[in-house]
Amino acid sequence: MEPLFLPTLHTFAMNNIFTGSYGLLRFRAVPNVIMRTPKEVDMEQSSIHVEYWHGLYCYEKSQMEGEATFPMSEEGRSAMLSWLQEKI
C-alpha cells in the first residue's frame, strides 16, 4: 500500500477540511485558522483538529474512536501523521 497521505500545511491554512483513509482507517482533519491580518494566517495560533474511526462508512454515519488537536506547523503535521499511523 501507498503511505498514508496528508496534504501540505498550505491546504489547511486555506481553511480546507481534509478527509482521508488508509485501509479501514478513516479520518477527518479540520483546521482552526486564526488570521493575523486580513491576508495573513497566524500559524502559531492556528491548529488542526483530527478525528478518526475504522469502517466502511462516511464521517456522518460513523462513531468516532478518538480525536486530537495539533499545531499548524510542520512539527504538528508530522505528529498528526505519526498519531494516525498508530491507529492503522
Side-chain angles (χ1 to χ4, degrees), residues 5-63:
F5 173 79
L6 284 179
T8 63
L9 283 180
H10 180 74
T11 299
F12 292 114
M14 296 295 103
N15 223 7
N16 291 305
I17 295 172
F18 180 77
T19 55
S21 64
Y22 191 89
L24 289 177
L25 172 70
R26 310 283 188 253
F27 61 95
R28 181 174 188 255
V30 179
N32 177 26
V33 176
I34 307 298
M35 300 301 290
R36 181 174 291 148
T37 68
K39 293 184 177 183
E40 182 183 7
V41 174
D42 187 338
M43 298 297 273
E44 292 175 1
Q45 297 297 315
S46 298
S47 61
I48 305 168
H49 184 77
V50 185
E51 296 175 283
Y52 78 92
W53 67 100
H54 289 87
L56 301 174
Y57 301 111
C58 66
Y59 176 81
E60 292 80 8
K61 301 284 184 183
S62 300
Q63 182 174 357

Side-chain angles (χ1 to χ4, degrees), residues 4 6 22 24-27 50 52-54 65-68 70 77-88:
L4 192 143
L6 284 179
Y22 191 89
L24 289 177
L25 172 70
R26 310 283 188 253
F27 61 95
V50 185
Y52 78 92
W53 67 100
H54 289 87
E65 297 174 25
E67 62 184 303
F70 299 91
R77 185 181 171 279
S78 293
M80 179 171 45
L81 181 59
S82 295
W83 183 78
L84 286 167
Q85 288 172 332
E86 292 171 3
K87 313 305 178 202
I88 295 174

